[in-house]
Amino acid sequence: MSTHDPNAASKDRLVLVIPNSRWHDKRTWIMVSPAALILTAILKPHFDLHLIDCNGEDLSLEGLGQRLADLAPDAVLVSCLSVEYARQSHAALAIAKQSVPGVTTVLGGVYPTVLPESALEDENVDCIFLGHAEERAVPFLTALLSGGVEAVADLPGVGFRSGGQLVIRPVASYISDVKEMVKPDYSLIDLSPYINQRTHDYQYNSKVPMASLVSSYGCPFNCIFCATRTVSGRRVVFRPAEDVLEEIGYLVDTYGVQDLSFIDDCLLADRERIEVIMRGMAERWPGLRWKVVTLSAWHLDDELMELMAACGCEQFTISVESGSQRVLKEIIRKPLKLEIVPPIVRKARELGITIGGNFVIGFPGETFKEIRDSFAFAEECDFDFVNFHIATPLPGTDLYRVAQEQGLLPDDFSFTDPRYFGFGYAFIGTDEFTPFELMVLRAFEWDRINFSTDEKIAKIADLVNMTVDELNEHRRQTRRKCGIHVPPDAPVEA
C-alpha cells in the first residue's frame, strides 16, 4: 500500500533526526528510540514528516547535512533521551543550521527536560520542548511554525531565548495525565540494524532477531537516585494491552522477532493487564521468548513466575540495589525486604528462567561494610549474573541534592562533562570510601562473583552471545580499566 500523502505539499515539512551515538567516539548504543516511534504517531497525520535515523544507518554528520539539504525542511526536531548523548544532539542541530539556512530547530527529550538551561546555551537550538509529547506536540509545533517563538511563549513546558535571556516555562503536566496513550508508529524507520545486531557489547547481543518495547511509563516509588519521576511524574500510566499485543505482532510478522525485551520501569504494577499480555503472547506466538530488563521483586510471587515461564519468559532482572536493609530503607528509600529475594532466585532457577540482580554502591551515608554487604548478598543469592553500578547523581534527583549539600561533588562537576557520565566512574567520596576504592571494588567483585567457575563463564558467554575468548577479553579490559568504557583504540593506563 502506498504511503504517499497527497496533502503533504500543503503541510509544513518536519524532519525528525535520531543522532548517531557513535559520533565523537562515544560508546555505541544500538536501541530504537521509543520517542521517535511516539513522535511519528503523533506528528505524521498533521505534518509532512520525515525521519533520518543516523544511529541505525551509522550516518556521518556530513551525510546528515546532505540529507537535510535535499529535504529542505521547515523545522528539524531532535529528541535526546540521555544527557550522556547531549553532544551528539547539539552536533545534529548545528549541521541542520548549516545545511538549511533559516530552518527552525527544536530539541526535546529527557536532556532538555532535566537540563533546560544547558540545552538552550546552544544558539543552534531555537526552542526546547520539555516533558511528554502526547496532546502537546501538535499545537506547539503548529504555533511555532506559524508565529515563531513569540507564538509559543506562554505555553507550559517550552524554553527559548528572548532579548539575550533564557526563558523556561516549566511543565504543567506529566505523561500520567494524558487521557489516551499513543501506539508507536514504525512506518518511517527501518528496524533491520536493531533487530539483527551482533556487537562486542557485553549486554546487548542476541542469537536471534530481537526487539525492545515500552508498554508503560513512570514509577510511583521514590528511590534517591532515580530520575524517572523528574521526567514522568510519580504515577504509572499503562498502554492498553491489545495495543501492546498489536505492536508485538508487527515486530514478529515484519521482522521475524523471536526475542523481545520489555524496558518498562514498572511492568508488573498492574497485574491483571500484564497477565493479559503474557497470555496473549503465548496464544498468538507460542515460540516467542521474552525478557524484562528490571522488575520490582515485591510484585513477584510463585504463581506469577509460573505463569511467566509458561508464557515464554526466559530472563528477568530484579533491582535489589543494596545488600543492607538499613541502606535500602534509610538511604535509598526502596520498599524491598531482602528476605524475599533468595526465594525468588530459587524459584526462577526451578522454572528455568535466567535471573539477574542489579546493585548500586557508593551512596552518601553508606558505610564501607555495607558496600561489602551488597557484594556478599549478591554472591549468597547466586544470581545467574549480577550488575554493579556506582551511585551517580542525575539532574533533579535527591541524590544530586544530597551530594551537593554535603559538598561531595568535585569543584568542576557538570552533568554535561563526559568525565561524569555513566555508572562506572566514581567521583563521590566520603570518610567511608574513596572514588578509587569504589571503582576497583566494582570491577573486581563483578568479575569474581559472575565468573567464579568455568560453568558460569560458559553460561554467561552463551547468554550474551559471545565466545568464551571474547568474554574473557571483555573481563580483562573491565579489570584493567576499572569498568570505564573507552574507545577500543584508547591506551590502557597501568
Side-chain angles (χ1 to χ4, degrees):
M1 183 172 65
S2 172
T3 59
H4 174 67
D5 182 355
N7 297 315
S10 62
K11 298 178 179 179
D12 288 313
R13 175 168 292 184
L14 308 184
V15 174
L16 175 61
V17 175
I18 303 175
N20 192 338
S21 59
R22 306 167 187 81
W23 292 339
H24 305 301
D25 293 322
K26 196 73 183 66
R27 65 171 174 159
T28 304
W29 188 266
I30 303 297
M31 188 180 80
V32 177
S33 165
L37 307 177
I38 295 299
L39 286 168
T40 300
I42 294 169
L43 302 179
K44 195 172 72 168
H46 303 276
F47 302 97
D48 177 18
L49 182 66
H50 300 257
L51 187 149
I52 302 177
D53 182 9
C54 302
N55 202 36
E57 297 182 43
D58 193 12
L59 194 64
S60 67
L61 281 165
E62 293 75 16
L64 170 61
Q66 186 57 59
R67 294 269 194 93
L68 289 172
D70 292 342
L71 285 168
D74 299 293
V76 171
L77 319 177
V78 173
S79 179
C80 184
L81 297 181
S82 168
V83 174
E84 188 174 348
Y85 292 93
R87 188 179 178 190
Q88 286 75 3
S89 295
H90 285 296
L93 292 164
I95 285 292
K97 285 292 191 182
Q98 293 172 24
S99 305
V100 189
V103 71
T104 297
T105 56
V106 180
L107 178 60
V110 171
Y111 161 51
T113 298
V114 299
L115 289 179
E117 293 87 357
S118 176
L120 275 175
E121 287 176 358
D122 181 2
E123 293 192 356
N124 293 306
V125 180
D126 292 324
C127 201
I128 59 172
F129 185 88
L130 289 65
H132 63 90
E134 291 85 344
E135 300 178 351
R136 298 175 54 228
V138 170
F140 161 76
L141 287 167
T142 300
L144 181 66
L145 290 169
S146 62
V149 169
E150 294 78 9
V152 300
D154 294 327
L155 294 179
V158 302
F160 51 90
R161 287 179 301 277
S162 178
Q165 300 297 313
L166 303 185
V167 179
I168 298 167
R169 308 295 188 201
V171 296
S173 63
Y174 292 99
I175 192 168
S176 53
D177 298 310
V178 174
K179 296 181 178 62
E180 185 176 348
M181 290 297 99
V182 175
K183 185 165 65 175
D185 185 341
Y186 290 82
S187 62
L188 298 183
I189 193 167
D190 177 14
L191 292 190
S192 300
Y194 303 97
I195 296 292
N196 298 299
Q197 57 178 294
R198 172 68 173 94
T199 72
H200 289 282
D201 190 306
Y202 169 73
Q203 294 282 7
Y204 300 101
N205 283 319
S206 177
K207 302 181 186 69
V208 297
M210 61 176 290
S212 60
L213 63 80
V214 183
S215 77
S216 63
Y217 306 92
C219 178
F221 303 105
N222 194 32
C223 293
I224 187 173
F225 56 80
C226 186
T228 296
R229 66 180 179 275
T230 309
V231 178
S232 302
R234 286 287 301 277
R235 293 184 297 182
V236 184
V237 58
F238 302 95
R239 291 176 50 203
E242 187 56 39
D243 274 8
V244 176
L245 290 169
E246 288 179 11
E247 181 180 358
I248 295 170
Y250 171 84
L251 294 169
V252 172
D253 295 342
T254 307
Y255 290 97
V257 165
Q258 301 173 39
D259 184 356
L260 189 69
S261 180
F262 287 93
I263 57 175
D264 302 41
D265 287 311
C266 232
L267 182 69
L268 305 181
D270 183 336
R271 181 157 178 161
E272 181 178 354
R273 170 184 169 275
I274 192 58
E275 288 187 2
V276 170
I277 292 173
M278 289 192 294
R279 290 193 171 97
M281 287 192 289
E283 292 169 3
R284 302 180 196 187
W285 312 285
L288 180 67
R289 310 301 295 172
W290 54 277
K291 58 176 68 77
V292 191
V293 296
T294 182
L295 286 179
S296 45
W298 54 88
H299 283 131
L300 290 165
D301 55 40
D302 287 358
E303 181 183 2
L304 182 58
M305 284 192 284
E306 288 168 3
L307 178 60
M308 291 166 65
C311 292
C313 180
E314 62 178 0
Q315 178 184 327
F316 65 80
T317 302
I318 55 176
S319 293
V320 183
E321 319 304 13
S322 177
S324 163
Q325 193 66 59
R326 186 195 78 85
V327 172
L328 281 172
K329 180 180 180 180
E330 297 181 13
I331 297 179
I332 301 177
R333 307 188 303 245
K334 193 177 189 75
L336 170 66
K337 300 294 185 183
L338 287 174
E339 63 197 40
I340 74 173
V341 175
I344 290 173
V345 177
R346 291 193 294 270
K347 184 64 175 181
R349 285 275 178 76
E350 174 191 315
L351 294 170
I353 300 175
T354 298
I355 181 169
N358 285 329
F359 292 82
V360 184
I361 61 171
F363 292 100
E366 186 177 23
T367 68
F368 190 78
K369 179 186 180 301
E370 288 167 332
I371 291 173
R372 300 295 300 174
D373 288 343
S374 288
F375 296 121
F377 185 77
E379 185 174 20
E380 175 189 331
C381 287
D382 194 24
F383 290 95
D384 290 303
F385 62 92
V386 285
N387 302 309
F388 297 106
H389 308 281
I390 293 175
T392 302
L394 300 174
T397 62
D398 288 340
L399 177 58
Y400 172 64
R401 176 183 55 78
V402 170
Q404 189 180 44
E405 289 174 353
Q406 296 183 11
L408 302 178
L409 298 173
D411 292 339
D412 62 350
F413 174 78
S414 169
F415 287 117
T416 58
D417 188 328
R419 291 176 298 166
Y420 303 121
F421 288 161
F423 302 94
Y425 179 73
F427 50 87
I428 289 179
T430 71
D431 292 340
E432 288 286 335
F433 52 80
T434 68
F436 178 73
E437 287 174 315
L438 292 178
M439 292 169 64
V440 171
L441 273 171
R442 172 183 179 263
F444 280 80
E445 290 289 70
W446 168 83
D447 188 87
R448 183 183 68 83
I449 295 170
N450 276 315
F451 310 106
S452 57
T453 67
D454 289 341
E455 290 76 16
K456 293 193 79 170
I457 293 171
K459 181 171 184 176
I460 291 180
D462 181 67
L463 184 65
V464 298
N465 195 24
M466 282 182 165
T467 67
V468 169
D469 286 345
E470 287 172 337
L471 180 58
N472 283 335
E473 178 59 24
H474 175 81
R475 295 172 55 204
R476 192 158 31 244
Q477 294 302 320
T478 297
R479 296 192 303 269
R480 292 176 182 178
K481 299 171 184 175
C482 284
I484 303 303
H485 176 89
V486 295
D489 56 351
V492 178
E493 297 181 2

